[in-house]
């Protein structure tokens, strides 16, 4: 991904999270994240220390996703729908780990949960390889060691005595209440930074993205009163409709989530971030 491929708003996100060489910015010593890490036992502090890597990956993907959305534009609403859905998922995950309203122990729980989810995904990918005929000892050992690692991590989390841990082999250990459903997380980040929508935006985007009949109806031109094969599909959706459904929610959620991370880990970047306001509508050209 070259910087010239990014929109101005996406460049703003990248510049906040990485330096001029494109290297991830480390949390400042004065940051709340560093202070929270110092409060925690070594086990949890380790996972909190890994959050900057995850936040950077999410932020870079947000810049990529938003730029892709802008380039698709109103003439490709199905593509915009798919990219908007993924972009909102990224913003929701970033906001979930950066949320200023939670304390250090809750952030640690979320950090461990992310690690468990990611590790389990890797192990399940290995299991898919085995189902497709790969029976090498190395693969079998990797799967076994992966589930052992998950169980051990869950057991260590339980030993800290802060939350109950459900730990069944072949499943992801659940720390406390676990991670909320994606739909709930997206609805929350949209509500906080864009405003409450009449219906859950993520559910609407998912219905269309999965190719469901009712969901694909969202691509119909609602002003076309014809029925049957002559009815027009909205492949020339108005710019205003595209902005309201895709561009504005994604831009505001992405900007808000990245700013939340800056407040947590890179407070010195917050002033620079705020001093460079960019209108999503202007950004979209």
């Amino acid at each position: 991904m070259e910087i010239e491929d990014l929109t101005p708003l996406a460049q703003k996100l990248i510049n906040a999270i990485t330096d001029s060489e494109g290297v991830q910015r480390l949390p400042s010593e004065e940051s709340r994240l560093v202070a929270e890490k110092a409060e925690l036992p070594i086990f949890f502090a380790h996972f909190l220390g890994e959050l900057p890597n995850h936040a950077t990956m999410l932020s870079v993907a947000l810049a990529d996703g938003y730029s892709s959305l802008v380039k698709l534009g109103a003439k490709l609403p199905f593509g915009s729908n798919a990219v908007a859905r993924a972009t909102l998922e990224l913003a929701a995950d970033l906001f979930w780990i950066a949320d200023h309203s939670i304390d250090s122990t809750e952030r640690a729980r979320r950090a461990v949960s992310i690690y468990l989810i990611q590790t389990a995904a890797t192990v399940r990918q290995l299991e898919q390889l085995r189902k497709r005929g790969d029976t090498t000892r190395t693969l079998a050992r990797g799967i076994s060691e992966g589930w052992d690692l998950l169980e051990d991590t869950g057991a260590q989390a339980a030993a800290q005595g802060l939350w109950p841990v459900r730990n069944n082999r072949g499943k992801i250990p659940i720390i406390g209440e676990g991670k909320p459903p994606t739909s709930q997380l997206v609805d929350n980040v949209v509500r906080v930074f864009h405003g409450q929508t009449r219906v859950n935006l993520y559910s609407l985007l998912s219905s269309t993205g999965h190719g469901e009949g009712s969901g694909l109806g969202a691509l119909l031109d609602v002003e076309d009163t014809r029925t049957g094969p002559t009815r027009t599909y909205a492949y020339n959706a108005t710019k205003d409709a595209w902005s309201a459904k895709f561009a504005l929610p994604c831009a505001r959620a992405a900007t808000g989530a990245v700013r939340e991370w800056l407040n947590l880990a890179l407070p010195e970047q917050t002033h620079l971030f705020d001093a460079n306001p960019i209108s999503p509508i202007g950004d979209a050209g």
Side-chain angles (χ1 to χ4, degrees), residues 193-243:
F193 297 115
H194 175 65
Q196 187 74 51
T197 53
R198 292 179 63 187
V199 293
N200 187 313
L201 180 59
Y202 185 75
S203 295
L204 289 177
L205 297 176
S206 296
S207 182
T208 301
H210 292 158
E212 298 170 356
S214 59
L216 291 174
L219 300 180
L220 283 172
D221 182 352
V222 296
E223 296 181 357
D224 188 342
T225 58
R226 293 173 294 181
T227 59
T230 62
R231 189 168 188 185
T232 303
Y233 281 81
Y235 281 97
N236 285 304
T238 66
K239 178 70 174 296
D240 287 346
W242 174 84
S243 295

Side-chain angles (χ1 to χ4, degrees), residues 57-78:
M57 288 189 291
L58 290 172
S59 299
V60 171
L62 276 170
D64 183 330
Y66 182 72
S67 293
S68 300
L69 176 61
V70 170
K71 290 183 178 183
L72 286 167
K75 293 184 178 181
L76 294 171
F78 185 80

Side-chain angles (χ1 to χ4, degrees), residues 23-182:
V23 177
Q24 171 183 313
R25 297 185 191 276
L26 298 178
S28 63
E29 291 301 316
E30 302 78 20
S31 69
R32 176 176 167 181
L33 182 64
V34 170
E36 288 184 355
K37 184 179 176 183
E39 298 172 1
L40 295 168
I42 293 176
F43 174 80
F44 291 123
H46 166 75
F47 290 101
L48 219 59
E50 294 299 312
L51 280 185
N53 299 327
H54 188 58
T56 299
M57 288 189 291
L58 290 172
S59 299
V60 171
L62 276 170
D64 183 330
Y66 182 72
S67 293
S68 300
L69 176 61
V70 170
K71 290 183 178 183
L72 286 167
K75 293 184 178 181
L76 294 171
F78 185 80
S80 291
N81 185 99
V83 173
R85 180 175 180 268
T87 301
L88 288 173
E89 288 180 357
L90 295 167
D93 276 3
L94 182 56
F95 184 51
W96 191 62
I97 63 174
D99 189 350
H100 72 277
S101 69
I102 63 175
D103 61 16
S104 59
T105 54
E106 172 59 16
R107 200 176 319 278
R109 185 191 71 81
R110 295 182 184 189
V112 178
S113 297
I114 288 170
Y115 169 78
L116 293 171
I117 291 168
Q118 291 177 333
T119 302
T122 300
V123 176
R124 286 170 177 164
Q125 287 171 353
L126 295 178
E127 289 184 329
Q128 287 298 316
L129 286 175
R130 181 166 60 184
K131 290 179 180 179
R132 290 173 180 268
D134 189 330
T135 58
T136 60
R137 289 185 180 180
T138 302
L139 181 64
R141 184 170 65 249
I143 293 171
S144 178
E145 290 177 352
W147 287 120
D148 287 344
L149 178 60
L150 285 163
E151 282 194 345
D152 181 61
T153 304
Q156 290 187 63
Q160 305 300 314
L162 295 178
W163 311 282
V165 178
R166 287 169 281 163
N167 197 7
N168 299 317
R169 186 166 184 83
K171 296 183 179 180
I172 305 175
I174 305 298
I175 312 297
E177 63 185 18
K179 185 180 180 183
T182 301

